Amino acid sequence: MKELEKLLQAPALRKVQEKTPIKKMVISLKITDPMVTKVAFAMALKNLYSSQAEINLDNMPGVLASAYTLQFSSLFQRCVTVMMAGLTSNNISNFYLASCKYKAEQLTTACEKWLDMNLVPLMGTQISLRKIPKELLHKVLKSPSFPKKCSFLDQNEGHSLMSLFLCLRLHAITKGKNLEDLRHMNFLPDSWLVRVTANHYHALESGGDMVHVTDLTTQAMRFGLLFAQEYTTHSKVIAVYGFFFEIKGIKNDTTSYSFYMQRKRHTDVEFPSSLCEHGIVSLRPERLVKYKISAQTLVDGKWQEFQTNEVTQKFRFIKPSCKSQNHFGAGAKADPGPQRPEADLQSGRPWRI
């Protein structure tokens, strides 16, 4: 009986061991660098648990600063690599300043090379480039590798294509906006575009005479239209130096078409407003033009071509002198596909449109 009482009393006699409380450790870092933000610092600490933690490119300078402060060399190098691959006109200023402050020489060199290649092409279109540090801009401009003529065709990669683009009839580009777009593309040498603009100016000063072109075959301005089978009539108008010309097609029957060219007045109501948007109108009563009209059509899988000879004619406003003397008909033995008439034109002393 006594033994039973001992067994029943034993649990009450045992000392219940209490759990030892966990000691909290507080680490205090005095960081005065404004680049080390709470978000960036948290991302840097997260790298302790996952080396592949995703980091937003916008936060990269702050994470780089945090890695530099914490002496996380692997994270620091990862930030440098990502920033080098993500250079743009919007972040190059911040990335460069961060690279200099935290002695990331690889990133500094990458920023200099990026600006070396992109300064001229982007300077006229990217307002963010105004924030580029003066020392970086000065260093790039003084660099012997900085291209003085950095259009694509002026570079080594573009030299092999130079002869191909010399065949382009750039004088046919008469809108200032289009020439400005080409300049911003930085593909063609500036000297080409300056020459085209100067020729347009001299042509306007000469009343429309394009003295800078001499050969109809290689230099005439071409314009044309696509005449689909369902059309009965179709036309297109061009305006150059205040003169307006129209090429027109007429469907005579299922296999026969006629094409001709004529001079138009600027007051014709069917003109689109874009043709007269700059208000250039010539009032000269007649215009000497050299031209040739051709048309192609696809018949049974083969192209057939019809064309006039080269014709020199004075175009006036009244009939019949307003129309081309040598208009022609085009026919086919089978039901044709769309017709593609084109006109090569030259006028003046000589003048080409």
Side-chain angles (χ1 to χ4, degrees), residues 214-227:
T214 57
D215 182 67
L216 181 72
T217 303
T218 60
Q219 294 180 302
M221 178 185 290
R222 292 177 174 175
F223 72 101
L225 52 87
L226 183 66
F227 198 105

Side-chain angles (χ1 to χ4, degrees), residues 247-265:
I247 183 170
K248 189 169 186 177
I250 300 175
K251 185 176 183 178
N252 301 319
D253 53 46
T254 56
T255 60
S256 177
Y257 300 80
S258 297
F259 302 100
Y260 64 90
M261 186 179 69
Q262 63 181 344
R263 186 180 176 187
K264 304 285 285 186
R265 294 180 183 273

